[in-house]
Amino acid sequence: MNHHSPVILDIAGAALTADDRRRLAHPLTGGLILFTRNWQHRAQLTALIAEVKAIREDLLVCIDHEGGRVQRLRTDGFTHLPPMRHYGERWMQDAMRATEAATAAGFVLAAELRACGVDLSFTPVLDLDHGESGVIGDRAFHRDARVVTLLAKSVMHGLLLAGMANCGKHFPGHGFVKADSHVAVPVDKRSRKAILAEDAQPYGWLGGTLASVMPAHVIYPKVDARPAGFSPVWLQDILRHQLGFEGAIFSDDLSMEGARFIEGRSVSATEAGVAALQAGCDLVLLCNQSQVEGGRPVDELLDGLMQAQSEGQWAPEPLSEQRRLALLPQTEPLPWDELMMSSVYQRALERLQG
């Protein structure tokens, strides 16, 4: 049978429970997303991740760690990184220094995470700063797609120097809508042509450099009635075929409000997961559900996807599994104490401040 482990799930606390271990060993589980509640200090996190990897070495350990207000780990030596808008503002004064600082930020971010065992951070944000979106706000580099592309490429270069892949988000663009897809279903009424001419441009320009992409839980009704993450038009016709993207596609969190409505109908996480896989996602995220009723929604998703698979609603995709495995780091990380002493890291910190 073809193997494909599409589910990225979370755990409730700072240590693994028997339920966590059972879920992480599940054949459909492909990874883990960490949150601040899973963090006490570096030694605890490093031990936790080692325990996860002992269950299955190939599990992809992910985190949302961008800088600014989206930075899960902030204590015990982690560098406080500025929001991405900071680099966009620096670009306006000195473009070359801005790209240098953005590369340094990517390196520091990835090297610190990897020293604790984290494989992938969901960064960089490629959304344009239209000045409308509260949820994106200063997470965006700039209003100009060209500036966003070059600064994101610099961050990705820094990640790569520390052996980490990248994830561009939120395709084709979340910056134009006001509503927050965590709590609502945003609608962007622009034409396909307008979106591709602006917000989606970084995805085309970075097509060969992006390792993974996360679509927006936004509906673009002039293109498709479904949110982008459930839309074969956006994911297959546009992202894969028109823009030539070859990497992994993650669904955004299936528990978000923006994921729970497909074509006007409220759906379960399992239905949303199946819809995302059918539309062309390689991996599906379910966040913050391990704390709900002892993690019942996580088990429902795993059981529901197993059943949907046996009923032929989705089929395991070996290429998706290859794309997931390609996101795992290919090099050994520098342990924390060695990293702190390394001149490459110290210089990156200087460039970050510079």
Side-chain angles (χ1 to χ4, degrees):
M1 195 187 94
N2 292 330
H3 185 58
H4 176 193
S5 302
V7 178
I8 309 287
L9 47 76
D10 68 336
I11 55 174
L16 292 183
T17 64
D19 280 334
D20 292 328
R21 287 193 186 88
R22 173 177 58 76
R23 289 177 193 131
L24 289 167
H26 193 287
L28 290 186
T29 301
L32 167 69
I33 179 166
L34 296 165
F35 291 92
T36 305
R37 66 170 182 276
N38 305 129
W39 160 262
Q40 290 167 335
H41 47 76
R42 281 198 330 270
Q44 164 269 333
L45 185 71
T46 307
L48 173 68
I49 295 173
E51 220 182 318
V52 168
K53 293 283 189 178
I55 295 168
R56 268 201 16 234
E57 203 180 352
D58 69 298
L59 287 172
L60 185 69
V61 179
C62 313
I63 196 165
D64 269 326
H65 198 83
E66 303 166 5
R69 60 200 155 97
V70 182
Q71 180 172 337
R72 304 287 183 230
L73 315 177
R74 295 171 172 269
T75 51
D76 201 12
F78 269 87
T79 302
H80 286 222
L81 297 160
M84 294 301 107
R85 179 184 285 166
H86 167 79
Y87 303 103
E89 287 167 351
R90 287 184 69 168
W91 175 281
M92 302 314 287
Q93 289 134 25
D94 185 338
M96 299 318 293
R97 292 300 290 276
T99 57
E100 187 185 33
T103 303
F107 176 77
V108 168
L109 182 155
E112 290 178 356
L113 288 174
R114 288 207 60 208
C116 297
V118 177
D119 296 318
L120 179 71
S121 174
F122 292 121
T123 189
V125 169
L126 299 178
D127 299 317
L128 306 190
D129 187 3
H130 287 278
E132 290 292 317
S133 171
V135 71
I136 301 301
D138 65 2
R139 294 167 66 192
F141 287 104
H142 204 275
R143 171 66 182 79
D144 186 329
R146 298 167 301 178
V147 177
V148 169
T149 300
L150 289 173
L151 287 173
K153 196 171 193 176
S154 300
V155 168
M156 284 153 52
H157 184 205
L159 298 174
L160 187 63
L161 291 171
M164 185 179 280
N166 58 65
C167 181
K169 61 189 187 185
H170 306 82
F171 176 79
H174 200 316
F176 191 76
V177 286
K178 274 199 175 113
D180 175 356
S181 52
H182 291 83
V183 293
V185 192
V187 177
D188 184 337
K189 294 182 175 165
R190 292 177 299 163
S191 69
R192 173 172 172 155
K193 189 177 171 188
I195 297 162
L196 290 177
E198 276 227 277
D199 297 62
Q201 275 200 309
Y203 295 90
W205 287 328
L206 297 169
T209 319
L210 283 169
S212 64
V213 162
M214 187 178 284
H217 282 326
V218 175
I219 298 172
Y220 307 85
K222 296 227 168 103
V223 182
D224 193 355
R226 292 180 158 219
F230 304 110
S231 162
V233 178
W234 278 116
L235 301 185
Q236 293 178 44
D237 300 356
I238 299 176
L239 183 58
R240 289 262 185 244
H241 299 137
Q242 193 176 336
L243 301 178
F245 175 65
E246 298 275 339
I249 302 176
F250 286 90
S251 80
D252 205 343
D253 176 12
L254 296 178
S255 72
M256 281 162 57
E257 202 56 40
R260 304 317 287 270
F261 289 90
I262 301 179
E263 296 183 33
R265 195 168 67 85
S266 177
V267 298
S268 69
T270 299
E271 286 177 283
V274 169
L277 291 166
Q278 286 174 341
C281 286
D282 301 295
L283 296 149
V284 293
L285 262 88
L286 186 68
C287 304
N288 301 316
Q289 300 303 295
S290 59
Q291 299 171 293
V292 179
E293 298 173 41
R296 188 177 57 79
V298 188
D299 289 328
E300 281 178 4
L301 177 66
L302 292 169
D303 295 344
L305 283 181
M306 281 297 260
Q307 192 178 337
Q309 186 189 325
S310 67
E311 292 169 4
Q313 291 178 45
W314 73 279
E317 175 50 73
L319 187 55
S320 291
E321 188 64 5
Q322 285 172 26
R323 290 180 183 132
R324 179 184 78 83
L325 295 172
L327 296 172
L328 288 163
Q330 307 301 309
T331 57
E332 285 299 311
L334 268 187
W336 188 275
D337 292 344
E338 280 181 47
L339 178 67
M340 294 300 110
M341 299 302 290
S342 80
S343 60
V344 179
Y345 174 79
Q346 289 174 356
R347 200 153 293 145
L349 282 182
E350 286 165 24
R351 289 191 175 117
L352 196 57
Q353 316 308 337

